[in-house]
Amino acid sequence: MENIDIGKKVGKYRKAKDLSIRELAKLAEITPSMLSQIERGLANPSIQTLKVLAKSLDVPTFSFFIEETNTVDLVVRSSHRKKMIIENLSYELVSPDFTGNLATAIMNFPPNTASSEKQLEHKGEEVAFVLEGKIKVFLDDEEYILEPGDSVKIPTQMKHKWENNFNEHAAILFSVTPSAF
C-alpha cells in the first residue's frame, strides 16, 4: 500500500464533485486547514475523518485505499509480448497479463496443426478474429472455414476445436472472458 496517496484521492474526488476546500471542509465538519494538509500529504486523517469525507463526497470509504493503476503497465509493445508454446501452437499475450476479466492473445498455427485432438469446452466466452491464413473451426457438430477478416463468437461451454489443415501459417486474435486458458 506504499503507492496509495489518500490525500491525493481526497483531492481528486473533491474536484470531481466541483467542491472547494472550504465547501468540503464544512460538509465534513473539519477545518479547511486540516483538509488542505490531508490533501497535500502533510496530515494523516483518522478513520473517522475518512468515513465523514467519504460520506460527504458520496464515495465508499474503501475507495481511498485502492491502488492507482500505473498506465505504463497497460501498454504492451509488440516486441515485449509474453509468449507461450503449447505443443505445436504458440500464443502471444496481447493484454498485459491474466488479471481482470478479459485476456487477449494471438494464436499462431503452423500448417497441418490442430488446437487439440478432440473438441474442448470451457467456462467463459471467446471471440476470435482471423488475422492471416485460413483456419477451420469446429463448433459442436458444425465446421466452418474462416479467412482473414472473419470472426467467430464461441459461447460458454460450447465444444470447439481449431484446425489448420492448409499449407500456410494462420494467426488468430482472440479474447476470452473470464481470462483463462
Side-chain angles (χ1 to χ4, degrees), residues 6 10 38 45-55 59 61 64-65:
I6 292 172
V10 170
I38 290 170
S46 68
I47 294 295
Q48 186 57 40
T49 300
L50 281 179
K51 286 180 180 178
V52 173
L53 285 169
K55 185 174 182 178
V59 297
T61 305
F64 296 125
F65 298 101

Side-chain angles (χ1 to χ4, degrees), residues 89-104:
L89 303 180
S90 70
Y91 297 86
E92 295 178 48
L93 193 59
V94 175
S95 48
D97 51 39
F98 291 110
T99 62
N101 295 320
L102 177 73
T104 302

Side-chain angles (χ1 to χ4, degrees), residues 165-178:
N165 54 5
F166 304 101
N167 293 324
E168 59 184 302
H169 169 86
I172 290 76
L173 176 72
F174 72 96
S175 295
V176 178
T177 181

Side-chain angles (χ1 to χ4, degrees), residues 7 17 48-49 56-57 62 84 86 98 109 111 133-134 148 171 174 180:
K17 292 281 186 184
Q48 186 57 40
T49 300
S56 301
L57 293 166
F62 72 83
M84 301 176 293
I86 302 173
F98 291 110
F109 280 87
K134 289 196 292 190
F174 72 96

